[in-house]
Amino acid sequence: MKEKKQAEGVVEVARNGHAHLISKNNDFKDLFINKKNLGQALDGDVVNVDIIQDTSGKGNGVQAKVNGIVTRKTIDFSGVIDINEEKRHAFVRTSGGKMPVDFYVPMENLGGAKNGEVVVVRLHRWHKKDKNPTGIIVKVIGKAETHEAEMGSIMFKHG
């Protein structure tokens, strides 16, 4: 039986949703990860990947597929909340182009946030079958497009 080749490294997500794995493994230093093979990995996460063959003919023949997350870079993200009262849920559109998904937030996890506010959402869970991670609002920064909210969002992103 042929042994699977694997590597571990840091995911760097591009704005188009595709990513690269930056690995310390000399055989696989920089591997392409198609966005459909990213799984639940997010920009900056340390992950394990399976090395797979690229049969599309577009690359060098080697790609990676995420098979597990070792450590998350962060579990808190900022973005603007869109509340749908009729459907009884909300989504947080995260800021920055490296986030390939929005966060689903059940109504009981709004933390007092109002529609259109900039918030900090914490990753609560993300099952493999789920398209979007489920989040909990942990902080309301302020009304979107106000000076206060923009400064708060910048301060959050930079610690």
Side-chain angles (χ1 to χ4, degrees), residues 46-138:
V46 176
V47 298
N48 285 315
V49 298
D50 292 325
I51 309 303
I52 58 175
Q53 292 300 310
D54 175 15
T55 56
S56 71
K58 295 179 183 174
N60 64 2
V62 181
Q63 290 188 16
K65 180 177 183 177
V66 174
N67 68 25
I69 296 164
V70 178
T71 55
R72 289 238 182 243
K73 178 180 179 182
T74 185
I75 59 168
D76 291 337
F77 303 87
S78 65
V80 177
I81 192 161
D82 290 321
I83 300 172
N84 187 326
E85 295 283 348
E86 192 176 296
K87 292 186 178 178
R88 305 277 311 139
H89 67 256
F91 279 93
V92 174
R93 291 178 286 116
T94 55
S95 46
K98 292 186 163 206
M99 189 66 179
V101 295
D102 296 332
F103 282 83
Y104 168 78
V105 181
M107 295 301 270
E108 64 269 15
N109 294 338
L110 291 181
K114 294 178 181 58
N115 194 48
E117 289 185 315
V118 177
V119 298
V120 175
V121 61
R122 178 164 292 151
L123 175 61
H124 176 62
R125 68 175 176 269
W126 194 359
H127 300 295
K128 288 188 181 201
K129 65 176 177 50
D130 296 338
K131 180 179 176 183
N132 297 83
T134 298
I136 298 170
I137 304 303
V138 294

Side-chain angles (χ1 to χ4, degrees), residues 7-18:
E8 181 179 300
V10 177
V11 172
E12 288 188 359
V13 177
R15 291 193 181 276
N16 65 7
H18 297 303

